[in-house]
Amino acid sequence: MWDVPGLTGDITPLTRSSALTVSFVFSVLAIKKRNKIKKGNHPERAMLLSRKCTVFKLFGLCMLLVTGSLLWMQLSCSGDVGRTEVDLRVQNQPYPQERQPSSADDPSWGPHKMALIVPFRERFEELMVFVPYMHAFLNKKKIRHKILVINQVDHFRFNRASLINVGYSESGNDTDYVAMHDVDLLPQNEALDYGFPAEGPFHVASPDLHPLYHYKTYVGGILLLSKQHYRMCNGMSNRFWGWGREDDEFFRRLRTAGLKLFRPSGIKTGYETFRHIHDPAWRKRDQKRIAAQKQEQFKVDPEGGLTNLRYKVESRQEVTISGAPCTVIGAELECDLGDTPWCQFS
């Protein structure tokens, strides 16, 4: 038995070579016996010839024995090493794990899947809280979902509506409705409905529940729409650079498309229904109105939306935050300076 670092195998070349030696010894004895018979009338000459013949034969037999033993050892070792490598490769493979139960295995999760779209730029502290919180919240409610963080990477002013349009366009064929969701708004009441809005757009963060905005035409914060209804509105307008007003324009789109807006009922937590994690003292909003933007912000954009969206995907990364998966899409928006010169400050 040989023990070699990194290699363990049953290698017994000495045992087999000993058998060959015994065989060669018997051959030598047989030769000596024949020589004795052939001595005849010249015993001294016969003895001399016999000794010379025996020496040469023994030398040749020894060389043959040594060569055969070495050759066998090489073949045996190389063969065992090859098998050991195969065994090690198999052992180094991860053990097959049992398939974890998922929403796809449980019909109680329903047939629909949500694309949770988060328009985003440089608010990483809020994102680190938002993604794991919403993933756990939706799982508890058995809502199939995937979280799409649409990160604006160009040098223009922030455009929430265009980023939501990008999220819709990049959401894939495995989802059938979208949630337009602010990154700084966390639902605190498990009774809130995030299910498929079959009857029409469902405004989760309604004016009587949102901690900040309470006017009747407000549809921001969190809004659910089927993809069909989002297409009927041609998405959101791409003309709103900077913070605010895009939701008000989208409310008019909903009415123009003939869609009825639904809101939660029976929620008793009032303005405590959501946790607003934005710190206005630390992170100022871009509320500047430049040139004609002051007048344009109150107009309806009848043609803009999904049909004139221009962007480029700079990156797409699958990220896990505290065990919660999300897809971060780096989006570079395009701006027509002749149409909306307020997309940049200078």
Side-chain angles (χ1 to χ4, degrees):
M1 196 65 151
W2 289 2
D3 294 325
V4 183
L7 173 63
T8 302
D10 185 8
I11 304 175
T12 54
L14 295 182
T15 303
R16 296 191 179 185
S17 62
S18 299
L20 291 175
T21 303
V22 172
S23 176
F24 286 135
V25 169
F26 276 107
S27 299
V28 171
L29 292 176
I31 293 172
K32 285 186 176 181
K33 186 175 181 181
R34 287 196 301 270
N35 288 338
K36 287 182 180 180
I37 296 174
K38 293 180 179 179
K39 283 182 181 179
N41 298 329
H42 304 281
E44 295 180 358
R45 182 179 178 182
M47 185 177 295
L48 180 60
L49 291 174
S50 176
R51 287 177 179 176
K52 290 182 179 181
C53 182
T54 301
V55 170
F56 284 116
K57 288 183 178 181
L58 285 175
F59 179 75
L61 290 174
C62 289
M63 292 299 295
L64 182 61
L65 172 63
V66 173
T67 303
S69 299
L70 292 176
L71 180 61
W72 181 91
M73 288 172 62
Q74 182 177 1
L75 293 174
S76 298
C77 292
S78 61
D80 288 343
V81 169
R83 288 192 294 272
T84 303
E85 288 176 352
V86 172
D87 293 340
L88 289 176
R89 284 196 292 270
V90 172
Q91 292 172 3
N92 287 338
Q93 291 178 355
Y95 289 103
Q97 298 180 355
E98 295 183 1
R99 189 164 59 93
Q100 298 296 324
S102 66
S103 60
D105 303 316
D106 190 347
S108 65
W109 286 63
H112 303 289
K113 185 175 181 180
M114 168 205 296
L116 195 156
I117 301 172
V118 184
F120 179 82
R121 176 186 263 178
E122 298 177 351
R123 298 169 71 172
F124 296 100
E125 295 83 1
E126 297 169 6
L127 188 68
M128 296 292 288
V129 176
F130 178 87
V131 170
Y133 182 90
M134 289 305 303
H135 182 65
F137 182 86
L138 295 173
N139 277 346
K140 192 170 185 179
K141 295 179 67 63
K142 294 187 175 181
I143 302 294
R144 302 178 197 269
H145 66 278
K146 64 180 179 182
I147 300 176
L148 301 177
V149 180
I150 314 302
N151 181 30
Q152 186 173 340
V153 297
D154 54 71
H155 299 291
F156 298 118
R157 300 171 69 190
F158 187 67
N159 192 323
R160 177 178 179 270
S162 290
L163 295 178
I164 293 175
N165 286 339
V166 172
Y168 168 86
S169 301
E170 298 294 328
S171 59
N173 296 326
D174 59 333
T175 58
D176 54 2
Y177 71 111
V178 298
M180 302 153 53
H181 211 300
D182 287 351
V183 72
D184 57 6
L185 201 59
L186 304 178
Q188 303 295 295
N189 192 327
E190 294 182 3
L192 288 170
D193 188 4
Y194 273 76
F196 181 74
E199 297 181 358
F202 185 76
H203 187 209
V204 181
S206 62
D208 56 342
L209 301 177
H210 196 284
L212 297 178
Y213 307 112
H214 309 138
Y215 58 94
K216 293 182 179 180
T217 59
Y218 175 68
V219 291
I222 308 168
L223 181 64
L224 312 182
L225 294 94
S226 69
K227 284 190 168 182
Q228 178 186 1
H229 289 161
Y230 195 79
R231 286 192 300 269
M232 289 174 59
C233 297
N234 192 22
M236 302 185 76
S237 172
N238 299 304
R239 296 176 61 83
F240 291 87
W241 301 89
W243 182 83
R245 299 297 183 185
E246 74 282 344
D247 294 323
D248 297 334
E249 200 272 347
F250 192 67
F251 177 80
R252 298 179 184 181
R253 289 181 177 235
L254 294 175
R255 291 196 305 180
T256 301
L259 297 173
K260 184 179 179 181
L261 181 66
F262 294 86
R263 285 179 167 139
S265 61
I267 302 297
K268 305 299 184 182
T269 47
Y271 297 150
E272 302 297 323
T273 304
F274 299 95
R275 177 187 170 198
H276 193 243
I277 59 177
H278 179 76
D279 185 358
W282 179 71
R283 190 184 297 278
K284 302 292 184 181
R285 298 189 188 277
D286 176 13
Q287 295 179 321
K288 294 182 180 180
R289 298 294 180 260
I290 302 172
Q293 186 179 11
K294 294 180 181 179
Q295 293 75 35
E296 292 288 334
Q297 66 182 344
F298 295 105
K299 295 181 180 180
V300 176
D301 180 11
E303 299 179 357
L306 294 174
T307 52
N308 69 345
L309 175 66
R310 300 291 181 267
Y311 72 97
K312 180 170 63 175
V313 173
E314 287 291 333
S315 62
R316 182 189 295 266
Q317 295 179 323
E318 303 298 326
V319 179
T320 300
I321 303 176
S322 299
C326 67
T327 302
V328 180
I329 298 176
E332 182 178 314
L333 302 179
E334 296 181 9
C335 172
D336 184 350
L337 294 175
D339 185 35
T340 56
W342 53 83
C343 66
Q344 57 187 11
F345 289 112
S346 58

